[in-house]
Amino acid sequence: MSLVGGVVGLGVISRALPEEDFGLWVVVSTLAVLGGVVDGGLTQAMRNRLSRLASLDERDHEAERQLFGTVLRVMGVLALLLAGLVVVTSATVPWGQLVGAQGGDDDARTLVVVVLCAYLLGVPLGLGSAGFVAYHQSSAKGLAEGAQALALLLATLVCAGSGLLALAGGYFLVLDGSLFIVLLLFVRSRGWRWRQLRGRTSRSELRSLVREGSGFWLLAAASIVVFSLNPLVAAHVLGVTEAGELGATQRLFLFLITLHFTVLTPLWSAYAAAAERGEWEWIARATRRSLAATVLLVIVGGGLLLVTAEPLLRLWLGRTVTDGPLVLALVAWFGVYALTNCLSVVLNGTGLVGQQAAFAAGAAVLTWPVCAWLGQRHGPSGIVWGTVLVVLPGTLANAVRVRRLLDVKVERS
């Protein structure tokens, strides 16, 4: 439902906004995703620990509650501080230039501030969804996210015709409000009360959580830079209108990526629990099946989009976007992205973050110069091929790491 709502919503926005405003919306939405790395990796570390605690024969429900409450409190304070910093410094930061706006710097600044603050505040509120995944309550998470998608689509329909700033205000108000409701539902599903979430976790436990989360943070931050900033690079190299077209075409493939990762996400917690119990043969079987399904999705889904991308974009956005080389580059981008996610879920669930974080960090450093250089010479497709080139070494290294890990563990079990 969330996928359908996002697709329909972007089609509405494309028809309601002028080309430059639509491009600005795509670029700013991409930039705002950076707000998701401010948790320092605590969300992923908490999810792994909750999954491990829930897999024990003798459950320590108090430890689970204290863990969740501590992370919620720490991330809530951090999000408020960072949102305040964004507001205070908004007058001095050239947001219009940063997002490649051709004019109306004040409007661009206001738009970025609204979107960044909304995303920052949504980080602690999103812990409810992470909690559902940790406890393998995927159906509850799916229902909650479906309701959220409907609410966001309604906000888009109501606000899109009133201009870019009204759209951003209405959309992100509904987004944060729905995340808060999901958080409430999760806490209630565990039988916890809000006052119980004030219980303290020891400093040593918190430091341990931060150490575990630091690797996840580096991996998440680097991955966002690598896979999400193509439209921002395009805005600077080619202009905001071209960036909007690249971002919209890329979102056709992100539809498949989101569908793919929705299936993979429960495996993350399942791998963590199985590793705790020593069930490595099951992990090996599940990994082989997920890789086979991933390759099939890339071949079938990528092949279909290679043929149908142009008419789909015309039907979806009401605009003609014709760029065959870009679509071909995005098929390769989709394949590398999907395989990277599939391997990363295995390594994340088993706590092996270091190597993949190192490769991801290296790719993040290279992304802007490589993509900008290729974009200047080959246009939007060059930007996408730049991402493929910087990511591929890490994907291959992760494949070797997963193979060796499973061979050793299965042999010993």
Side-chain angles (χ1 to χ4, degrees), residues 276-289:
E276 185 72 17
R277 295 189 296 264
E279 299 174 351
W280 290 100
E281 290 187 2
W282 179 87
I283 294 175
R285 287 196 302 272
T287 301
R288 287 193 295 269
R289 290 170 183 168

Side-chain angles (χ1 to χ4, degrees), residues 334-353:
F334 166 51
V336 172
Y337 199 166
L339 286 172
T340 299
N341 282 342
C342 194
L343 297 166
S344 184
V345 164
V346 181
L347 296 173
N348 291 348
T350 53
L352 300 175
V353 183

Side-chain angles (χ1 to χ4, degrees), residues 192-260:
W192 299 336
R193 297 187 181 185
W194 282 105
R195 59 181 177 81
Q196 292 178 317
L197 295 179
R198 297 174 185 172
R200 294 183 178 179
T201 300
S202 69
R203 290 184 178 181
S204 62
E205 289 177 317
L206 184 57
R207 283 196 298 269
S208 174
L209 194 66
V210 170
R211 283 195 300 271
E212 183 178 348
S214 60
F216 286 117
W217 175 83
L218 178 59
L219 177 61
S223 298
I224 285 176
V225 170
V226 171
F227 285 112
S228 300
L229 292 191
N230 282 173
L232 186 60
V233 176
H236 283 265
V237 174
L238 306 172
V240 72
T241 300
E242 288 272 13
E245 292 184 357
L246 186 156
T249 308
Q250 195 172 54
R251 290 193 185 192
L252 279 179
F253 293 86
L254 281 173
F255 180 91
L256 292 178
I257 286 291
T258 303
L259 178 64
H260 179 240

Side-chain angles (χ1 to χ4, degrees), residues 50-361:
L50 284 178
S51 295
R52 291 196 292 265
L53 288 170
S55 70
L56 298 176
D57 293 332
E58 295 184 7
R59 296 276 296 277
D60 188 345
H61 297 283
E62 178 66 14
E64 296 172 25
R65 179 184 62 76
Q66 287 193 0
L67 172 62
F68 185 86
T70 298
V71 174
L72 177 62
R73 185 167 61 252
V74 170
M75 287 175 53
V77 171
L78 181 61
L80 288 172
L81 290 175
L82 290 175
L85 182 64
V86 169
V87 173
V88 170
T89 60
S90 62
T92 59
V93 177
W95 289 117
Q97 297 177 18
L98 183 61
V99 298
Q102 302 301 313
D105 184 67
D106 289 341
D107 286 346
R109 177 186 293 112
T110 302
L111 176 66
V112 173
V113 170
V114 168
V115 174
L116 278 181
C117 288
Y119 265 89
L120 287 168
L121 296 176
V123 171
L125 299 177
L127 284 177
S129 181
F132 278 129
V133 173
Y135 286 103
H136 309 289
Q137 295 177 287
S138 298
S139 57
K141 176 178 177 289
L143 288 173
E145 290 183 349
Q148 178 190 75
L150 289 175
L152 288 173
L153 179 57
L154 180 60
T156 301
L157 291 170
V158 171
C159 300
S162 300
L164 195 54
L165 292 178
L167 171 63
Y171 183 92
F172 289 104
L173 178 63
V174 171
L175 176 63
D176 281 356
S178 58
L179 288 174
F180 179 64
I181 292 173
V182 173
L183 177 61
L184 289 176
L185 291 173
F186 170 72
V187 171
R188 184 171 182 178
S189 74
R190 305 311 308 165
W192 299 336
R193 297 187 181 185
W194 282 105
R195 59 181 177 81
Q196 292 178 317
L197 295 179
R198 297 174 185 172
R200 294 183 178 179
T201 300
S202 69
R203 290 184 178 181
S204 62
E205 289 177 317
L206 184 57
R207 283 196 298 269
S208 174
L209 194 66
V210 170
R211 283 195 300 271
E212 183 178 348
S214 60
F216 286 117
W217 175 83
L218 178 59
L219 177 61
S223 298
I224 285 176
V225 170
V226 171
F227 285 112
S228 300
L229 292 191
N230 282 173
L232 186 60
V233 176
H236 283 265
V237 174
L238 306 172
V240 72
T241 300
E242 288 272 13
E245 292 184 357
L246 186 156
T249 308
Q250 195 172 54
R251 290 193 185 192
L252 279 179
F253 293 86
L254 281 173
F255 180 91
L256 292 178
I257 286 291
T258 303
L259 178 64
H260 179 240
F261 202 65
T262 298
V263 177
L264 286 179
T265 298
L267 281 175
W268 181 335
S269 298
Y271 288 146
E276 185 72 17
R277 295 189 296 264
E279 299 174 351
W280 290 100
E281 290 187 2
W282 179 87
I283 294 175
R285 287 196 302 272
T287 301
R288 287 193 295 269
R289 290 170 183 168
S290 65
L291 282 171
T294 298
V295 171
L296 181 62
L297 177 63
V298 171
I299 293 173
V300 176
L304 285 174
L305 286 181
L306 186 62
V307 175
T308 62
E310 183 181 339
L312 281 176
L313 286 167
R314 190 183 306 115
L315 176 66
W316 178 26
L317 303 178
R319 304 170 188 235
T320 299
V321 180
T322 306
D323 193 337
L326 172 61
V327 176
L328 180 61
L330 282 169
V331 171
W333 176 87
F334 166 51
V336 172
Y337 199 166
L339 286 172
T340 299
N341 282 342
C342 194
L343 297 166
S344 184
V345 164
V346 181
L347 296 173
N348 291 348
T350 53
L352 300 175
V353 183
Q355 174 184 287
Q356 55 175 333
F359 272 97

